[in-house]
Amino acid sequence: MRIRPQRLQQGDTIGIISPSSPPDPASLEKSLAFLEELGLKWKFGQHAKKINGYLAGTDAERLEDLHEMFKDPEVKGIICSSGGYGAARFTDQIDLQLMEENPKVFWGFSDITFLHSAMGRYSNLVTFHGPMLGPNIGKESFDALSAKMFQQLFEPMELHYTEAISPLSTISPGVAEGELVGGNLSLLARSIGTKYELDTKGKLLLLEDIGEEPARVDGLLNQLRMTGKLADAAGIVVGDFSRTETQKKWTLTLDEVFDHYFKDLGKPVVKGFKIGHCEPHFAVPLGVPAKLDADARTLTILPGVE
């Protein structure tokens, strides 16, 4: 069993860091009101608001903020300000033992997938795949269900995803149980061949992405297929794939791509989960036991905090 961080309490301090790209300043500022509504205080990493092209400061600065927030006894949880690109540039320099010795809530998604995978594998830590401050919480489109999902940090709760939340489609039938792992498909594919590549053996694999046309999704899934990641998984949870349109004359649909890789996989696969670059965004803990019932089209996930 992985280490589940302690639940948050009203009045706790959250650390805000930018491990990847810089957040939009106006959206970041607007998002802080939501943390206040949750009854949380916050402190920014020393370099969290820096801009270094498409990076939020240098690699060393972003790494320093990550380490300092895990070291800081006042900080009870860490939320990433934004995704984008850059977390993988310093992952091989992270003191992953520091996280194992100081477990606390760590929340983000998209480019943060690389950090989720590293912490899950070498820090044995449950982390959270959920919406971030600048690009999500600080926007008018931030949904009430997305906001409600933060309550799982304050009270251990079993999560139940049914078609009451969104229409779901079974690609391959069956029922499977295992740790929920994964995240952004592009980041998972990039990690293959590194020491941080995802172990999917006997696990439920969550996949989501944005801005990848069907041919690109095809190539990414083929990479997972050829390296055994799909065959090893107990089941596949297909999250949101947004902005996947293509201008090419000859193409396959995204559904056709999914059918090619998943229909004859011989294990449960369900698509349509609002997990990813979407609203609402159903935030989930990674590294906890879960059950995917492709026949009933439900996903049940155990609590992520103690």
Side-chain angles (χ1 to χ4, degrees), residues 15-20 44-48 59-72 75 78-80 87 90-96 98-99 102 104-107 112 114-116 118-119 123 125 127:
I16 300 173
I17 62 172
S18 304
S20 304
F44 282 99
Q46 183 180 350
H47 312 290
D59 294 349
E61 288 171 336
R62 300 195 314 284
L63 176 63
E64 180 185 355
D65 279 359
L66 178 64
H67 282 161
E68 288 304 312
M69 289 302 182
F70 269 97
K71 289 177 186 174
D72 190 339
V75 171
I78 300 165
I79 185 168
C80 299
F90 61 78
T91 301
D92 58 344
Q93 300 169 57
I94 296 175
D95 181 356
L96 289 159
L98 171 69
M99 284 108 187
N102 299 273
K104 54 186 71 175
V105 166
F106 181 79
W107 181 289
I112 310 305
F114 219 95
L115 300 183
H116 287 312
M119 291 182 197
S123 302
L125 183 62
T127 57

Side-chain angles (χ1 to χ4, degrees), residues 2-15:
R2 291 202 198 172
I3 302 167
R4 291 187 299 170
Q6 288 295 313
R7 72 190 76 177
L8 298 181
Q9 308 281 349
Q10 297 271 318
D12 279 351
T13 297
I14 291 294

Side-chain angles (χ1 to χ4, degrees), residues 240-258:
D240 193 73
F241 280 72
S242 56
R243 303 215 306 260
T244 56
E245 300 79 11
T246 179
Q247 301 301 315
K248 292 178 180 175
K249 184 176 181 181
W250 310 111
T251 187
L252 295 174
T253 67
L254 197 59
D255 286 338
E256 288 174 320
V257 172
F258 289 152

Side-chain angles (χ1 to χ4, degrees), residues 79-251:
I79 185 168
C80 299
S81 71
S82 63
Y85 171 75
R89 287 177 50 141
F90 61 78
T91 301
D92 58 344
Q93 300 169 57
I94 296 175
D95 181 356
L96 289 159
Q97 186 176 347
L98 171 69
M99 284 108 187
E100 184 172 10
E101 294 172 352
N102 299 273
K104 54 186 71 175
V105 166
F106 181 79
W107 181 289
F109 82 112
S110 193
D111 194 62
I112 310 305
T113 294
F114 219 95
L115 300 183
H116 287 312
S117 297
M119 291 182 197
R121 186 155 189 173
Y122 296 105
S123 302
N124 200 34
L125 183 62
V126 170
T127 57
F128 293 84
H129 182 286
M132 295 177 289
L133 295 170
N136 310 118
I137 297 169
K139 297 293 177 64
E140 294 293 337
S141 57
F142 188 54
D143 187 87
L145 178 58
S146 303
K148 185 179 178 181
M149 297 310 298
F150 280 81
Q151 293 306 312
Q152 67 184 285
L153 301 180
F154 294 87
E155 189 69 34
M157 61 179 67
E158 198 170 278
L159 303 179
H160 299 275
Y161 198 116
T162 70
E163 289 195 282
I165 298 172
S166 68
L168 300 172
S169 300
T170 298
I171 302 176
S172 178
V175 180
E177 297 184 39
E179 275 188 8
L180 183 65
V181 298
N184 185 265
L185 174 59
S186 298
L187 272 296
L188 295 174
R190 285 182 202 166
S191 73
I192 290 173
T194 75
K195 65 183 288 188
Y196 307 103
E197 72 175 59
L198 192 66
D199 175 15
T200 63
K201 194 166 186 61
K203 299 178 182 179
L204 297 181
L205 175 59
L206 166 66
L207 300 173
E208 64 84 25
D209 218 322
I210 182 173
E212 303 289 2
E213 61 182 34
R216 282 274 300 160
V217 173
D218 191 315
L220 294 166
L221 288 176
N222 194 46
Q223 178 77 354
L224 266 58
R225 179 190 68 83
M226 291 194 297
T227 52
K229 301 301 180 185
L230 300 183
D232 283 349
I236 311 289
V237 177
V238 183
D240 193 73
F241 280 72
S242 56
R243 303 215 306 260
T244 56
E245 300 79 11
T246 179
Q247 301 301 315
K248 292 178 180 175
K249 184 176 181 181
W250 310 111
T251 187

